[in-house]
Amino acid sequence: MVGSSHEALHQIFQKDPALLTKALQKVLHVPFPEPREFAALNVDLTEIEPVERRVDTLLRAETDEGTYLLVVESQGKVDDRKRGSWPCYLSYLYEKYRCEPVLIVITQSSRTAKWASRPIRLGFPGWESLTVRPLVISPDNVPVIADEKQAELDVPLAVLSAMTHGRGPQAPAILESLAAALRTIDPDSAAVFVQFVDSCLADPQAKQMWRELMTAIQYFWRHPLAEQVREEGREEGREQGLEQGRIEDRRQMVLRILEWRSIPVTDSARERVSACTDLDQLETWAKRAVHATDAAELFAEE
């Protein structure tokens, strides 16, 4: 069964096709020409015979140097069947559209990336009849963007960073930087990015932190994705009062970030955070927790 993470990894390019060519140019350093326009094509490659063939995302890119078909495959794990189906997809698409197909694989797994990047050679060794060289976007070539200013300079690249690196001890800094950068772009584009990052985060702690960060951004509440978070907030508001619920959320966020980053939380630090009722102070501590190496650093400037 296809999961939300798989869907988000390729569907974001349907929402923002320019992000795909930026990934080719900036991540893979492929001199792909700047498209004048994009068109989404039917992803179903099934023919008359009862064999279903379907790619994840298919875009036509019109450039000054010609027309290209961008074939995007989201790959969660090694699947040797793709070594046969990918050449089939490309040959079929070239025959149907008479445009040069470009295979792009996106994955969150370094192991899968290494497997997918191997050229597919069909035929006699040294005289192959067909060679396919997938372009692979993965944690190995997408830069880690964990600095607010860097994220603001290139928000789409920061989104790719969160989608491919959003797990482990570096995730808090990555998500915090992206959350700040989203405030600098138009709300509609930001809401789309919020949705796809949320869908890609497989780590429950990372997903929870992302949703907590998004509660502070007003446009997030206009997106359907926020309904679940909003309902949880209503329940807590009924029981404790809206303001108290926000304070408790921030207390838990501070402690979760420290624990998530494997930083020991002393009893005195836990008591101090738990006793704080100042929402702004708690948010300041949460930001410090992203970069702190010791729990005491939260309170260093007080």
Side-chain angles (χ1 to χ4, degrees):
M1 181 178 179
V2 175
S4 60
S5 178
H6 172 278
E7 289 296 309
L9 279 174
H10 68 85
Q11 285 191 6
I12 188 172
F13 299 124
Q14 298 174 22
K15 293 290 186 180
D16 187 0
L19 180 59
L20 184 56
T21 52
K22 288 180 181 178
L24 292 178
Q25 296 162 353
K26 296 185 178 183
V27 175
L28 300 178
H29 306 293
V30 174
F32 193 85
E34 200 64 37
R36 294 191 305 272
E37 63 176 298
F38 287 97
L41 303 179
N42 190 340
V43 299
D44 193 344
L45 311 185
T46 306
E47 300 179 63
I48 296 176
E49 56 268 28
V51 178
E52 182 179 347
R53 302 185 181 100
R54 188 180 298 273
V55 296
D56 288 331
T57 291
L58 180 61
L59 300 169
R60 184 177 60 220
E62 303 284 352
T63 77
D64 291 334
E65 299 178 21
T67 301
Y68 295 89
L69 297 177
L70 303 181
V71 186
V72 184
E73 283 280 272
S74 174
Q75 197 66 30
K77 60 183 179 181
V78 172
D79 183 356
D80 285 327
R81 293 176 299 177
K82 294 298 180 74
R83 312 297 290 185
S85 59
W86 285 342
C88 179
Y89 295 167
L90 301 182
S91 298
Y92 173 82
L93 288 169
Y94 179 77
E95 174 64 22
K96 181 176 181 178
Y97 293 102
R98 291 292 168 176
C99 300
E100 299 296 338
V102 180
L103 175 61
I104 302 160
V105 179
I106 181 168
T107 180
Q108 295 174 312
S109 164
S110 294
R111 178 173 178 268
T112 302
K114 184 177 180 180
W115 161 81
S117 62
R118 296 201 313 264
I120 303 170
R121 296 185 174 92
L122 304 179
F124 186 74
W127 299 90
E128 289 82 5
S129 301
L130 178 64
T131 300
V132 175
R133 297 178 59 194
L135 296 170
V136 183
I137 300 172
S138 74
D140 297 329
N141 50 32
V142 175
V144 174
I145 298 181
D147 176 78
E148 289 185 16
K149 294 188 181 299
Q150 188 180 2
E152 290 174 5
L153 289 174
D154 197 333
V155 176
L157 192 60
V159 171
L160 279 178
S161 176
M163 292 174 72
T164 53
H165 295 284
R167 63 180 66 187
Q170 61 192 349
I174 293 172
L175 298 179
E176 179 83 25
S177 299
L178 177 57
L182 288 176
R183 295 183 174 91
T184 67
I185 65 175
D186 70 276
D188 291 335
S189 296
V192 171
F193 289 148
V194 167
Q195 176 191 14
F196 285 110
V197 171
D198 185 274
S199 298
C200 273
L201 294 174
D203 185 332
Q205 290 181 306
K207 188 183 290 285
Q208 179 63 27
M209 180 185 177
W210 179 243
R211 291 185 174 186
E212 289 173 345
L213 287 169
M214 291 301 96
T215 59
I217 304 177
Q218 293 302 315
Y219 60 72
F220 174 70
W221 298 106
R222 299 206 307 268
H223 200 282
L225 175 67
E227 183 58 37
Q228 180 181 351
V229 180
R230 194 157 57 231
E231 183 59 32
E232 293 169 358
R234 290 195 194 104
E235 291 297 329
E236 188 167 359
R238 295 187 189 106
E239 295 174 4
Q240 303 179 30
L242 184 58
E243 185 65 19
Q244 184 59 37
R246 289 175 179 169
I247 291 172
E248 183 59 30
D249 279 347
R250 295 305 182 274
R251 289 171 180 162
Q252 294 302 317
M253 179 189 283
V254 173
L255 298 175
R256 268 199 298 269
I257 292 173
L258 292 174
E259 292 168 353
W260 188 16
R261 298 184 59 228
S262 301
I263 295 176
V265 181
T266 62
D267 290 341
S268 60
R270 189 180 299 276
E271 290 172 3
R272 186 165 180 179
V273 172
S274 299
C276 183
T277 58
D278 186 330
L279 193 58
D280 292 336
Q281 181 65 76
L282 288 167
E283 290 180 348
T284 298
W285 288 347
K287 291 180 180 179
R288 291 178 186 171
V290 172
H291 304 285
T293 56
D294 185 278
E297 292 180 21
L298 266 61
F299 322 113
E301 297 180 14
E302 276 100 53

